Structure formats: C-alpha cells, structure tokens
Amino acid sequence: MEAEEERFPTLRQVLLLFVLLAQTCAEQEAYSVAEETEGGSFVANLAKDIGLEVRELSRRRARVIFNNNKKHFQLNLQTGDLLVNEKLDREELCGPTEPCELQFQVLLEEPLEVYKFKLLVSDINDNPPVFPEAEMILKIMENTLPGAVFPLKNAQDLDVGTNSVQNYTIYPNSHFHVLTRNGSEGRKYPVLVLDKALDREQQPELRLTLLAADGGAPPKSGTALVLIDVLDVNDNAPEFAQPLYRVQILENSPPGSLVVTVSARDLDTGINGKVFYSFFYGDEEITRTFSLNELTGEMKIIGKLDFEKIVSYEVDIKASDGAGLSGKCTVIIQVVDINDNTPELTVASLTSSIPENSPETTIALFSVRDPDSGENGRMVCSIQEDVPFTLKPSVENFYKLVTEGPLDRESRAEYNITITVTDMGTPRLKTQHNITVFVSDVNDNAPAFTQTSYTLFVQENNSPALHMGSVSATDRDAGANAQVTYSLLQPQDPSLPLDSLVSINADNGHLFALRALDFEALQAFEFLVGATDRGAPALSSQARVRVQVLDANDNAPFVLYPLQNGSAPCTELVPRAAEPGYLVSKVVAVDGDSGQNAWLSYQLLKATEPGLFSVWAHNGEVRTARLLSERDAAKHRLLLLVKDNGEPPLSASVTLHVLLVDGFSQPYLPLLPEAAAAAAQTDPLTVYLVIALASVSSLFLFSVLAFVGVRLCRRGRAGLEGGCPVPEGHFPGHLVDVSGTGTLSQSYQYEVCLKGGSGTSEFTFLKSVASNHPGSVNGVEENSSFVNGFGFN
C-alpha cells in the first residue's frame, strides 16, 4: 500500500490542482441552436457573456475548442459573436440521444483562462417516419375473437421528441383498428386490434395500409402495406418464458460470442406447435451486430461492439409457430466498457524554435482526453528525463511544456521530446506525441583558427597571384553567425609594404602573393590575419602568418677579377723559370644566391697550349702544370668557366692573358695583331721605345683614376646617400683570399665600386689592402650582406 502511494504522488497533486482550477473556472453556460441552421448564423455574443471587451479577444488570442476537435462554430474576434460554421445534423451528432449537447471551451491566453459552455442542438422535423419493411404479412386464425391484439412493426423516425412518430392509423378499417402504445424507451409502436370476427371462406385475405405520423409542424408520415392472411384454426400462439431479458456483455467480445438464449413454447402440436425465432423488425444496426438462430433462439455477436458509440441495445424477438401465430419478447443488452481507447493529445499552440540562452520559455500548450469512462478515462502525462524540459499542469485538462533553464545550441541544437499520456485502466494504454524543438543560434562564439601561427614557404621569382597557402578558422555558431570573413591586419612594422606583397580571399582564407618575391631582397616576413564572423555584434580572432622565401638559382656567378669590362685585357706575367705549381693568378667571383646555389667551382675550358696551365676547381687559382721551356709560346690565352651548384647551374666565363717573360724587368705592352706585324718589320729599338712610352703613360693614367675613385668612395661613406654603393668595411677575407707562392704569394683584399648607371654592372678596383683575416678558403662562400651591399637581387 505504501508503494502504491509513493508511485502516484505527482498524480494526486495534479488531480488536486485540477479540482482547485475547476473551482476557479468560469461557470458553464448553455446556448441553443436548431439543427440545419445556415453557416454564419448568430448564436451568442461570447465577449458579452464572458464579461470582456471585444478588443481583448484578439489581444488574448481567443479560440473555440470542441471536445470532438471539429470546428462547428467560429468566433468573430472583431465583434465577439459566436457564429455557425457549418450546418449541424442533430441525428449525426447525437443519434437518438436527447437532449443533444455539445461541450466546448473558449481558451484565452495571457493570462490563460478557459470558459466552458454547453450547446444544445434542437431537433427540427426533417425526417419522415420510415417502416423497416414496405410490406408486413400477418396470419390470423379465422376463429380469432374480436378484441385480439396483433403487434405490428413500428416505423423509425430519426427525429426525436414531438418530431418522432406519435400515432398510427390504418385504413380501410372494416375489421381492425390500430392502437399506438409506448415502448420502454419512449418509442411508440402500433398494435392491430381485431374489431370484427374473420371468415376465411368469405374473405381469405385483407390488404390494409398502416400510416405512421410524427408530431412535427407540418407533420410527416410514412406508410406500409399490411397483408392479413386468414388461417384455419390455430388457437395457441407461442409464448416466451419471460417477456424481458437483460444481459451485459463486454465491448471487446469477439464475434461468435453468445449473448443470450431466448425460449418460447407453443401449446399446439404438429406444425402449429413448432416455434421459429426471428428479429421482430430488421433494424440495420441490430442485424449488422447480432445474429439469431431461428431454431434454438441463440443470439450471438457477429459485429463489433463499441461502448463509446452505443451503450445499450434493445432487441425485439418474435417467436412464430408453423401456422403463423407469434409472440414477442424484448432483450436489453448493456455494453460494458473496457479500456480500449488510447488517450488523445491535442496541441493547442506550439513554438518549434527558441533562441539559445533564453530563460524559462513555454514550448507547447496541449490538452488530453480519453473517451473511456471511470478509471479507464483517468490520465497521467510525462516526458523523458534526459531533456531540459518539464511539464506543468494548467487549467482543466491542459498542460504546458516549458524549458527548465537556458539552452546552449553549441551543446545541442535539437531536442526530440516525447510526451507520453497514460490512462489508469487495465491494461494501461498510452499515447505518445513527439515534438521537435530547435535551438536557434546566438552569436556567442568567436571564430577560432586551426593554428595559432602558420608558416608558408614560397620559392622566389614566383608568378604574381601565386596561391601560397591557406588559413582556416571555424565558428561553433550557425548561419550568418558562423560565416567567417578573413582579412589582413596592419603589420607592426610600418616599413613592410604588406598590401603590395600579399592578398587574402575573404571567403576561404587563401593567401596569394601579389608580386614576385626576391630572396636576396626579402628573405622572410610576418603579418597577422583576422577572422570575423557576420553576427551582430561581430566577433573576431587573429593568427600570425610567417612567409619564408626560398632561394632559387637566379643569379649567375659574377667575376670580380680579372676585370671583364671591355678595356685592355689584364695580362699576368710569368717567369719562364717558374716551377710547376707556380701561382699565375686567381679568379675571384661571387654569386648573389645563397646555400648550394652560391657554391662556385672553376674549370679551364680552353688554353693556347693545353697542359701548360691548370685551375683549382674550388678556389679558382691558376697555376703552372709543368716546367716552362724556351719552346713554349710567349703569349697564352686562357678561357675559364665559373659555375655555381644550383639547379640548373648558371655560369660565367672569363679570359685570362698570360705572358711568359725571362724576368719581371722586361717591359711588355700587348699589341694588336696588325701592329705586331708592322713592328716586326721596323727596327727593334723603335719598338722598345714605343713600348716604354706606352707603359709609362698607362701607369700614370691608372694612378690618376685610382686616386679620384678613392676620394669619391670615401666621401660616399661620410654621408652621401645614393652615390656609389660601396659596401662598408672591407670584403670578408674568406671571400677573395689568394694564397700561394710566386708573384702573388701574399693575401690581398680588393675594394670595388659598382659604377652608377652602368648597364654592364662594371666593377672598378680602387685599391688593394693587406688582409686582416689570416688563412685562405677553397672558394667563394655565401655572404648575403656582401651581396646586398652591391645591390644584387
């Protein structure tokens, strides 16, 4: 018992609340309307009866709700009038039940109120009496005494009250008259009374017309033919054991179930004493639901019983003998209700979408109903426990579905709520109604990048509009609140021309290089990218992007020494007494690239006398390969190739002139081939004088040019900008160090200046200084500051 009390505490509370609300609900009022009233007809002014101003009906969203969920009437919110929405058929709505009552409620919101009303549908005389059979046959014994009574089949009239059948008449009435009697349920049925004895020999058959008239104005009537067959003497009619049978049967009884067995006996013998059973009149509902065995009197179910449609049946059974005499009994069948109807749930209002972070919100207002009676019609409502919603009882049989608190769309954007309505019958039946609630988005999440920083690698000399990479940000919101727009933020370094370097696609975050990048000018740069959603207000975040420019082999080696500026070729003097390995000269070259693209190698392509000279591949030193002899030519021309280690490799060539002399005191002036031929024909003394004069003049001119160049370069260092781009300080020693034996046995450094406006990018040696960095290297190594100092890109 205690467990049963604990099981339904909530139910008792809900029932108690219903009782309290029922006491505060408006009193039930009744209206009346005649059936078949035209649509739009006035019934009553609900605003006046409720006591409200007409404008309050619209503001409080007044609605009319019928228990059968049909819209028989409509409420005019502008006038407060209750109008007929469709023609009403009382016989269809209530059948034989009188009075015909329709229950409806007027629902008001803000605040919620319910007013109950009762509508009486009055009957009009729109149906005439109809006999179940157009012809009735009576067999009457000729020895029947006057005053004998013969029951006739009554006419059926769908109308009720005075509009139903009120009296019967028969004509011609030379032998009979008819009496109108009242049945147990108020129905009137005819009884034929014999006034005058019959004589089969004179008149074996009589044809009478039975007329049934109702009490309407004007009255309606129906007729049936009564055929009387006069029989020979059979003076005992069948008699039932009891005139009235009362039985109860469950509404879920299957077809074939026995309802009752009626019994009648006839004192006659033979054919006159054999009894046959039949329904007294062939009512369509009765013959569709029950069957009667004509020999045994067993009544069985052949159709489906429904307590909610028909509560009881009254069946008249006739017992006839073989000679045509009959008797009648009445069987009243009471249908017992079982729990065979599931509860019904009707949603009055529904909000399918609510914004997240909202406080307690009403989602739905609904009513419940169970057509069953007693405990079978009591109901309990519930929802599942894993949703942040709750049910709150309202007035009458209404419930509200409300949220328990604010909802978070990012945690869960959709809720499927199952409302379960269970009755208290045995077995318990339930109805489930699913409601889907969508949580609409509020812009409460900023976009988040997949990485806090991005590193992109771009090969230099890229094509404009190159797709360098992408940044990506996601927003947990939805719709416009999750649509992310990307943009470039102003760099912290104002000297970085970001707008001319990079652009970003605002829709997908793709980054593009606007122009070709040069590793020698800009090796890397950083900037910030912003991601902003389209919410109101908009939220944003940012990420750092670093672009690393990769070096490409786009700079060919540049030869610093010997000079290749189109002036008189540089000639190296080598004594004929030089040993093998004697250092003739050193080719000095640089490469504006970095890494392996700047690794230089040297190669001797062509020589006047192959095998006499060799070049070291890694440092560019040109040395003698063997002892010199008198037979070797005095002048030699060497073509050397300087090649970097890039892919594909780039190269530059340089020509070196070598003059073999017996000693460094021997003067030399290179002659053109034509001049050499002319000199060979002149006196040798004249040739020597010319050579000496040219040497002195050249030396003087070279000294003047060197002095002027040094002065200009020093002035440029003192503060002149845009002058000769001479790198500050000496060249690093490891770039152009030359070591060895012979005439260039010491280490040298060369200061050079690129002539402004020179299309050939010529270098002019200004002076040589003793190296302050000891040691030598095998070649020219990467030095980006050296290259940038010369303005190489």
Side-chain angles (χ1 to χ4, degrees):
M1 186 66 180
E2 294 179 356
E4 187 68 16
E5 291 177 357
E6 294 176 357
R7 186 179 305 171
F8 304 109
T10 305
L11 176 61
R12 290 200 298 272
Q13 295 175 5
V14 172
L15 293 177
L16 180 58
L17 179 60
F18 277 160
V19 172
L20 294 176
L21 290 174
Q23 294 177 356
T24 61
C25 189
E27 294 184 359
Q28 189 174 27
E29 296 186 19
Y31 299 107
S32 177
V33 64
E35 67 171 330
E36 302 298 330
T37 301
E38 293 293 330
S41 299
F42 174 82
V43 177
N45 188 285
L46 291 181
K48 179 179 179 182
D49 294 342
I50 295 175
L52 296 176
E53 296 292 335
V54 174
R55 63 176 177 270
E56 290 189 58
L57 296 178
S58 298
R59 183 181 63 82
R60 298 182 64 182
R61 297 193 291 275
R63 285 173 288 170
V64 175
I65 301 176
F66 277 83
N67 288 347
N68 58 4
N69 297 326
K70 292 185 178 180
K71 295 184 178 180
H72 301 302
F73 296 88
Q74 61 180 353
L75 177 60
N76 189 328
L77 298 179
Q78 306 300 324
T79 62
D81 294 338
L82 180 67
L83 306 177
V84 176
N85 190 42
E86 59 184 7
K87 286 186 178 181
L88 302 178
D89 188 351
R90 194 208 65 81
E91 288 75 24
E92 179 182 354
L93 293 174
C94 301
T97 303
E98 181 66 15
C100 181
E101 296 181 356
L102 297 180
Q103 302 286 341
F104 72 94
Q105 299 90 28
V106 176
L107 177 64
L108 301 175
E109 297 183 9
E110 298 178 1
L112 185 64
E113 289 184 285
V114 176
Y115 293 85
K116 296 177 61 177
F117 293 89
K118 182 168 60 177
L119 181 69
L120 302 179
V121 181
S122 60
D123 183 56
I124 64 173
N125 191 26
D126 58 343
N127 293 284
V130 177
F131 286 92
E133 295 179 3
E135 181 178 294
M136 292 181 283
I137 300 177
L138 287 179
K139 294 183 179 182
I140 303 176
M141 299 297 297
E142 63 176 344
N143 61 347
T144 301
L145 297 177
V149 176
F150 304 94
L152 299 176
K153 296 179 181 180
N154 62 301
Q156 299 179 23
D157 194 335
L158 297 178
D159 297 324
V160 296
T162 58
N163 293 326
S164 63
V165 176
Q166 297 297 314
N167 58 77
Y168 296 88
T169 57
I170 194 168
Y171 58 92
N173 55 358
S174 59
H175 288 80
F176 299 90
H177 74 274
V178 66
L179 296 178
T180 302
R181 293 184 177 180
N182 296 324
S184 59
E185 292 187 355
R187 291 187 300 175
K188 299 180 183 297
Y189 60 92
V191 176
L192 190 64
V193 180
L194 180 63
D195 293 332
K196 181 180 177 181
L198 300 174
D199 188 355
R200 184 180 181 281
E201 286 70 22
Q202 290 182 2
Q203 193 175 3
E205 183 180 272
L206 287 81
R207 289 181 175 270
L208 306 177
T209 300
L210 179 63
L211 183 143
D214 60 24
K220 296 182 181 292
S221 62
T223 60
L225 177 64
V226 180
L227 180 61
I228 299 176
D229 189 8
V230 181
L231 303 176
D232 282 338
V233 175
N234 180 20
D235 55 350
N236 288 289
E239 294 184 2
F240 283 93
Q242 58 187 82
L244 181 64
Y245 294 83
R246 293 183 180 273
V247 294
Q248 291 184 340
I249 187 167
L250 297 175
E251 66 173 328
N252 66 338
S253 299
S257 299
L258 178 65
V259 178
V260 68
T261 300
V262 295
S263 176
R265 60 178 294 196
D266 193 332
L267 299 178
D268 294 329
T269 60
I271 190 64
N272 293 328
K274 190 173 183 180
V275 179
F276 300 92
Y277 301 93
S278 63
F279 291 120
F280 196 76
Y281 59 87
D283 183 83
E284 182 180 357
E285 182 64 30
I286 293 176
T287 56
R288 187 170 61 240
T289 308
F290 303 97
S291 67
L292 180 64
N293 190 309
E294 66 175 358
L295 298 178
T296 62
E298 292 180 348
M299 181 186 293
K300 294 184 178 181
I301 298 174
I302 60 173
K304 183 179 180 181
L305 302 178
D306 191 350
F307 174 83
E308 286 69 34
K309 291 183 178 180
I310 300 178
V311 177
S312 64
Y313 296 87
E314 182 177 337
V315 182
D316 294 330
I317 298 177
K318 181 176 70 173
S320 303
D321 60 16
L325 298 182
S326 62
K328 189 185 83 166
C329 75
T330 301
V331 179
I332 296 179
I333 303 170
Q334 189 72 35
V335 181
V336 179
D337 182 45
I338 64 167
N339 192 26
D340 61 341
N341 289 281
T342 58
E344 299 173 2
L345 185 150
T346 303
V347 177
S349 64
L350 174 64
T351 302
S352 60
S353 178
I354 59 173
E356 64 177 332
N357 304 327
S358 298
E360 180 177 305
T361 305
T362 300
I363 303 300
L365 177 66
F366 62 92
S367 62
V368 294
R369 173 178 174 268
D370 194 318
D372 293 321
S373 60
E375 287 295 312
N376 296 333
R378 291 177 55 197
M379 295 164 290
V380 175
C381 296
S382 63
I383 60 174
Q384 68 265 39
E385 297 181 355
D386 60 345
V387 292
F389 298 87
T390 186
L391 287 176
K392 290 188 177 181
S394 182
V395 295
E396 285 291 337
N397 54 344
F398 284 83
Y399 287 84
K400 291 191 298 182
L401 176 66
V402 298
T403 59
E404 292 181 339
L407 303 179
D408 185 8
R409 190 205 66 83
E410 286 69 36
S411 300
R412 188 169 178 181
E414 177 182 339
Y415 292 88
N416 291 315
I417 306 169
T418 301
I419 302 175
T420 303
V421 184
T422 307
D423 63 23
M424 306 303 294
T426 303
R428 294 189 177 184
L429 301 179
K430 65 180 181 180
T431 294
Q432 291 185 332
H433 184 83
N434 294 322
I435 294 177
T436 301
V437 179
F438 297 94
V439 182
S440 60
D441 186 60
V442 173
N443 192 28
D444 57 348
N445 291 280
F449 281 94
T450 57
Q451 301 173 216
T452 57
S453 62
Y454 297 82
T455 301
L456 307 178
F457 296 93
V458 181
Q459 194 81 22
E460 69 169 327
N461 302 324
N462 57 281
S463 59
L466 172 69
H467 178 214
M468 299 187 300
S470 302
V471 295
S472 177
T474 57
D475 195 312
R476 296 180 60 197
D477 294 321
N481 296 331
Q483 295 179 6
V484 179
T485 301
Y486 300 91
S487 61
L488 297 177
L489 304 182
Q490 290 298 324
Q492 297 178 352
D493 184 5
S495 63
L496 180 65
L498 184 62
D499 293 339
S500 63
L501 291 175
V502 179
S503 69
I504 189 169
N505 188 308
D507 296 326
N508 53 30
H510 291 178
L511 290 167
F512 299 91
L514 294 179
R515 61 181 176 87
L517 301 178
D518 190 357
F519 174 83
E520 287 72 26
L522 183 64
Q523 297 181 5
F525 59 95
E526 292 183 353
F527 56 91
L528 296 178
V529 173
T532 306
D533 59 29
R534 297 185 180 178
L539 302 178
S540 63
S541 62
Q542 62 185 24
R544 183 175 300 276
V545 178
R546 177 179 176 82
V547 178
Q548 190 74 40
V549 182
L550 302 179
D551 182 48
N553 191 27
D554 59 343
N555 290 284
F558 186 82
V559 179
L560 299 177
Y561 182 83
L563 295 177
Q564 302 291 311
N565 55 3
S567 62
C570 180
T571 303
E572 300 293 342
L573 304 180
V574 178
R576 289 187 179 271
E579 296 292 331
Y582 176 85
L583 179 61
V584 177
S585 181
K586 181 173 182 178
V587 177
V588 181
V590 294
D591 195 309
D593 296 318
S594 64
Q596 67 178 8
N597 295 330
W599 297 350
L600 302 181
S601 61
Y602 303 86
Q603 181 181 353
L604 181 60
L605 292 181
K606 187 177 180 182
T608 303
E609 187 172 339
L612 181 57
F613 300 97
S614 64
V615 61
W616 286 21
H618 300 295
N619 58 14
E621 293 182 352
V622 180
R623 297 178 181 270
T624 58
R626 59 176 176 82
L627 288 173
L628 303 178
S629 65
E630 295 295 334
R631 291 177 297 180
D632 294 328
K635 294 186 296 183
H636 294 268
R637 182 176 179 273
L638 305 181
L639 180 62
L640 295 97
L641 178 70
V642 183
K643 181 173 64 174
D644 60 25
N645 197 35
E647 185 62 37
L650 301 178
S651 62
S653 61
V654 60
T655 302
L656 181 64
H657 295 272
V658 179
L659 180 62
L660 302 182
V661 296
D662 292 332
F664 285 109
S665 60
Q666 180 179 356
Y668 169 72
L669 180 64
L671 301 176
L672 295 175
E674 296 80 359
Q681 299 175 1
T682 61
D683 183 65
L685 181 57
T686 304
V687 174
Y688 293 150
L689 291 175
V690 173
I691 292 174
L693 181 58
S695 300
V696 173
S697 301
S698 299
L699 183 59
F700 174 79
L701 180 59
F702 179 82
S703 299
V704 172
L705 293 176
F707 176 80
V708 173
V710 169
R711 295 288 293 181
L712 291 176
C713 288
R714 287 179 179 175
R715 183 178 300 172
R717 293 196 192 97
L720 288 177
E721 295 181 1
C724 179
V726 179
E728 297 184 6
H730 301 295
F731 286 105
H734 65 279
L735 285 177
V736 292
D737 265 356
V738 181
S739 62
T741 58
T743 57
L744 298 177
S745 59
Q746 297 182 353
S747 298
Y748 289 88
Q749 288 184 344
Y750 296 90
E751 282 191 351
V752 296
C753 176
L754 180 62
K755 294 181 178 180
S758 173
T760 59
S761 300
E762 296 182 15
F763 281 84
T764 302
F765 282 84
L766 301 180
K767 65 178 180 177
S768 63
V769 293
S771 174
N772 294 324
H773 304 279
S776 62
V777 297
N778 294 329
V780 180
E781 298 179 359
E782 175 188 359
N783 191 314
S784 60
S785 63
F786 172 75
V787 176
N788 293 335
F790 279 86
F792 292 143
N793 292 324

